[in-house]
Amino acid sequence: MTQILSSTFRRAVSSSSRRHATAIQRNIKHGNLRFITILPESPWLTSSSDAPVYSNLIGGQFVASTSSKLIDVTDPATNNLIAQVPQATLSELESAVSSAQTAFESWRNVPIQQRQRFMLRYQDLIRKYTDDIANLITLEQGKTLTDAKGDIFRGLEVVESACFLGPSLMGETLGNLSDGLDCVSYRQPLGVCAGIAPFNFPAMIPLWMFPVACTAGNTFVMKPSEKTPGACMMLAQLAHEAGLPDGVLNVVHGGKETVDFICDAPDIRTISFVGSNVAGEYIHARGTGNDKRVQANLGAKNHAVILADAPEGAAKALAGAAFGAAGQRCMALSAVVFVGEARNMLPEIIAEAQKYKVGCGFDEGVDVGPLISKESQERVESIIAQSIDQGAVLELDGRGVAVSGYESGNFVGPTVLSNIDRKNIAYTEEIFGPVLVCLEADTLDEAIELVNANPYGNGTGIFTQSGACARKFVHEIDVGQVGVNVPIPVPLPFFSFTGSRGSIRGDVHFCESAVLFLLVHLFLIFRCHF
Ligand code: NAD
């Protein structure tokens, strides 16, 4: 692993701007890139003339794809080519499912204590190699190293909770249904499960998916985002280092062709999806149309409702939730609703936003990294322009932000738009960039009505010191995750990550309740005597 992973970075360094190279080299010097040495060489990249190509993981082997269709993975801070992802061929996809199906026959019979012990070793390895995974996330996704470590840590918590999955797999019993008759139910694994991940959390979201499924006794076919596949490959390698038998976890690459295969493959029983509404609604319809269980977490427009008695620090918290990770978080607070006099907080929010430093995620002191692609940058800038045309007031403009040494990067700085009405494009679209739109309401009732009328229902927060207002909000709001003076209310894995309305398809949530999604109930009735 050492050699080939190093060569990826060497290529990235050599093809990046000088300053970017210096940033990466500084990280190497600081020991952040102490490459993983658990295997003699990195098997998941194959050399090619243009850039290293990611391999699929099939049946425990990292296999170079024979596909001629390659998708570029670029560094968002420079737009230089880092690596390429193959569009896996049909026979590669079929092999992945067949190896998962074969592995299931024995894996399902491995005692739960042993499957949990695998997770115990796995969490230890993820912890040990967090810096390495974080560096790859920052290179491919652009977020700061601190955010990249947070990305891994949130996934690590799911792995930790899977270390004690046994109680969730317990069935139920009822004695004496009638004389000599008892009833027992077992929770049994389903078979081959699949996961399809987005670009924005390259470690956390794959870790939401396969660790719980595999510990429950299922086997898995994972498709990482074609834009940020590296972290998932490292995590897959660590899973094998932790002792996961061959074929239990498979990774296949590609875009829509791979997704369509997953939706249609008869042996795949479930699909876990996280990503946009366009893809998620399509996958939910196609997957359930093929009789699969599908859980899908989709897009968001998260509102912060600010009351006039908001506690000190609310503006700072709001800015962090709106602009952190360049707004590329499904839980980013992208719309603020000022209730009455709370509108006076706007200058404070703008002042907080102006403190954010935009730049390369590897550089110290940077708060906001680049957007994932040039198309994404252009889309965000275009929405800002259209929003102004539709009547928005531009309070802070992050377009055209200059980042010295990274002139080709996809940067947009914190942007604030006020005088937004419900039909303004900056409100109706999920922007997925560092743009905060400001709306106003006269009363808390009006604010709640506004939030509940939005098509999305992923996360929201209220900022107030009034217990009565907070309680009313919590009880009347129709949104999955709700914070009271907490800007990004992300639940721990032994709760569930939920959602409402347009932010979710399917009726089973990720993390804790996903266990039920991944199992079948087998009911037995025993007669002891006649
Ligand atoms: P995306 O939908 O473009 O891609 C997600 C996955 O779907 C990728 O693996 C991609 O290959 C595949 N895909 C993309 N377009 C497809 C299509 N037309 N048909 C079939 N498959 C397709 O999402 P993204 O841009 O990678 O991620 C950002 C989105 O994810 C945002 O909308 C964000 O809100 C959402 N997200 C939601 C949550 C949540 O928990 N609700 C968490 C993270 C991200």
Side-chain angles (χ1 to χ4, degrees), residues 321-353:
F323 309 120
Q328 295 180 122
R329 281 196 284 229
C330 67
M331 288 291 284
L333 281 181
S334 50
V336 57
V337 186
F338 295 118
V339 179
E341 297 302 306
R343 71 176 70 85
N344 297 332
M345 192 195 277
L346 182 56
E348 208 187 326
I349 294 169
I350 293 168
E352 288 294 339

Side-chain angles (χ1 to χ4, degrees), residues 196-201 204-205 208 223-227 254-256 259-260 273-280 282-283 297-300 329-330 430 432 458 497-498 503 510:
I196 302 168
F199 79 84
N200 66 329
F201 280 94
M204 179 184 82
I205 288 174
W208 275 5
K223 190 201 95 61
S225 166
E226 62 275 35
K227 294 173 183 153
K256 186 170 179 298
V259 169
D260 286 349
F273 170 84
V274 177
S276 67
N277 282 62
V278 171
Y282 169 77
I283 290 165
N297 272 18
L298 312 181
R329 281 196 284 229
C330 67
E430 180 187 28
F432 228 53
N458 199 39
F497 195 100
T498 72
S503 291
F510 277 85

Side-chain angles (χ1 to χ4, degrees), residues 358-414:
V358 182
C360 169
F362 282 109
D363 285 346
E364 271 170 36
V366 165
D367 305 294
V368 177
L371 295 177
I372 187 68
S373 64
K374 207 32 98 189
E375 297 74 50
S376 178
Q377 179 191 359
E378 286 165 5
R379 178 178 168 274
V380 170
E381 289 175 348
S382 157
I383 290 175
I384 295 169
Q386 291 176 68
S387 172
I388 296 163
D389 288 346
Q390 292 173 10
V393 174
L394 183 62
E395 304 277 358
L396 182 65
D397 191 358
R399 292 170 298 174
V401 60
V403 180
S404 167
Y406 300 95
E407 285 71 18
S408 303
N410 314 320
F411 297 100
V412 177

Side-chain angles (χ1 to χ4, degrees), residues 22 34 70 126 142 180 279 286 316 330 359 364 392 434 450 460:
T22 311
R34 51 183 176 74
L70 298 171
I126 294 172
R286 189 159 174 159
K316 186 173 179 188
C330 67
E364 271 170 36
L450 181 108
T460 188

Side-chain angles (χ1 to χ4, degrees), residues 29-41:
K29 210 168 134 203
H30 288 174
N32 289 341
L33 291 183
R34 51 183 176 74
F35 292 114
I36 301 172
T37 52
I38 49 178
L39 290 179
E41 57 179 21

Side-chain angles (χ1 to χ4, degrees), residues 157-177:
E157 289 184 321
V158 181
V159 179
E160 286 172 343
S161 77
C163 295
F164 194 59
L165 201 68
S168 305
L169 306 185
M170 288 166 67
E172 293 158 330
T173 60
L174 184 64
N176 261 349
L177 290 181

Side-chain angles (χ1 to χ4, degrees), residues 458-470:
N458 199 39
T460 188
I462 185 168
F463 291 82
T464 179
Q465 296 182 64
S466 158
C469 290

Side-chain angles (χ1 to χ4, degrees), residues 508-529:
V508 184
H509 305 134
F510 277 85
C511 300
E512 170 56 22
S513 65
V515 180
L516 301 179
F517 168 79
L518 300 161
L519 299 164
V520 276
H521 285 213
L522 180 67
F523 289 94
L524 299 176
I525 298 191
F526 289 103
R527 186 178 285 286
C528 304
H529 57 83

